[in-house]
Amino acid sequence: MLLAIDCGNTNTVFSIWDGTKFLATWRTSTEHQRTADQYYVWLSTLLNIHRIEADITEMIISSTVPRVVFNLRVLADRYFNTRPYVVGKPDCRLPVAVRVDAGTAVGPDRLVNTVAGYDLYGGDLIVVDFGTATTFDVVASDGAYVGGVIAPGVNLSLEALHQAAAALPHVDITKPQRVVGTNTVACMQSGVFWGYVGLVREICDRIKGERDRPMKVISTGGLAPLFQQSEDLFDEWVDELTMHGLTVIHDYNKRQETS
């Protein structure tokens, strides 16, 4: 079985893939100090609790936090006797091209989302990922990653507002019933929610205009379901898009090795 790991700035996701479906998916906070032994205790405990018998023989990792990769490699070697694929490293090949400025490093998560989006929907896509940052990835008609947009994440914006303005409280993001708030919390929630609705719509419209062709807009990430409630922002919402992309990249590399 395959253990797919997506390490983001805030959370790390572990998924067990049996070749046809995900048996389980779990999240933990991203901490670069966490050792391979700690990862294994945490993971094996969850497997036992859920009574999942998983003979893990393969691993693939996507990480936007380089410092955690070493301990994940140790986890693969020490406990699963395997050498993981790491997206972004030369020995992990992608089934799509990357066409950006020379010397530009593209986040592994964005490459994985591109692969997943193209596998599911074909080309001419905009993939909007609501993570620590809100990213827009542009997928060409042939599946190539051709660039994108990075904006501050929704929760990051709320936290910055709270920290920079002493009188403003910390609030959770939700869709407000009205645009005009009648208390501080409602005002902040309205500003962030409708502000990001406007941000997403405007950026997607400008990408479509610049590309001069119809494009499908796909959303993913923790807050994607919330914004999916808004009017016609996205054509599709895909839960665990990144994990799907990791399985596609793993399969592609295994086929390359045997061809």
Side-chain angles (χ1 to χ4, degrees):
M1 291 186 186
L2 172 68
L3 174 59
I5 303 174
D6 172 37
C7 178
N9 291 296
T10 304
N11 294 316
T12 299
V13 182
F14 289 69
S15 288
I16 309 293
W17 173 255
D18 71 356
T20 59
K21 65 183 181 298
F22 287 111
L23 300 181
T25 296
W26 297 298
R27 285 171 171 78
T28 184
S29 58
T30 299
E31 297 177 5
H32 70 271
Q33 305 97 330
R34 187 169 292 161
T35 66
D37 301 327
Q38 289 173 314
Y39 279 121
Y40 182 72
V41 170
W42 173 80
L43 182 61
S44 59
T45 300
L46 286 170
L47 288 168
N48 289 331
I49 289 173
H50 294 277
R51 298 180 180 179
I52 297 173
E53 295 183 5
D55 181 17
I56 296 170
T57 57
E58 304 280 350
M59 275 180 60
I60 185 168
I61 301 166
S62 169
S63 178
T64 58
V65 186
R67 288 187 294 176
V68 306
V69 174
F70 173 79
N71 283 323
L72 292 174
R73 284 185 180 273
V74 174
L75 172 71
D77 177 65
R78 180 178 298 167
Y79 290 104
F80 303 119
N81 193 31
T82 188
R83 185 172 184 268
Y85 294 110
V86 180
V87 179
K89 300 299 183 183
D91 59 348
C92 183
R93 289 170 282 190
L94 299 176
V96 299
V98 179
R99 295 199 290 266
V100 295
D101 294 343
T104 299
V106 181
D109 55 331
R110 306 182 75 183
L111 298 176
V112 175
N113 284 349
T114 295
V115 170
Y118 184 62
D119 181 70
L120 292 172
Y121 300 104
D124 291 324
L125 296 178
I126 303 170
V127 181
V128 185
D129 189 348
F130 291 93
T132 304
T134 301
T135 59
F136 301 74
D137 298 316
V138 181
V139 185
S141 57
D142 63 350
Y145 175 85
V146 294
V149 176
I150 301 175
V154 178
N155 286 320
L156 190 64
S157 295
L158 276 170
E159 187 63 27
L161 194 61
H162 167 61
Q163 291 183 0
L168 297 181
H170 176 79
V171 300
D172 294 324
I173 181 64
T174 187
K175 182 180 180 180
Q177 295 182 344
R178 297 180 297 176
V179 176
V180 179
T182 55
N183 57 69
T184 302
V185 170
C187 289
M188 292 173 66
Q189 289 174 333
S190 182
V192 171
F193 181 85
W194 293 114
Y196 270 85
V197 168
L199 180 146
V200 170
R201 180 177 287 115
E202 181 70 13
I203 288 178
C204 288
D205 285 348
R206 286 185 176 272
I207 290 172
K208 292 174 184 178
E210 194 169 280
R211 300 289 293 171
D212 194 25
R213 65 188 66 194
M215 302 187 76
K216 180 172 284 190
V217 182
I218 310 301
S219 70
T220 191
L223 288 175
L226 173 66
F227 286 92
Q228 188 74 4
Q229 300 175 25
S230 189
E231 58 275 8
D232 302 323
L233 273 185
F234 311 112
D235 297 299
E236 300 284 349
W237 165 63
V238 185
D239 189 22
E240 308 298 357
L241 181 71
T242 306
M243 306 314 290
H244 176 74
L246 285 174
T247 67
V248 174
I249 294 171
H250 176 266
D251 288 347
Y252 177 77
N253 279 270
K254 298 301 289 187
R255 289 196 303 271
Q256 293 296 307
E257 289 179 0
T258 57
S259 63

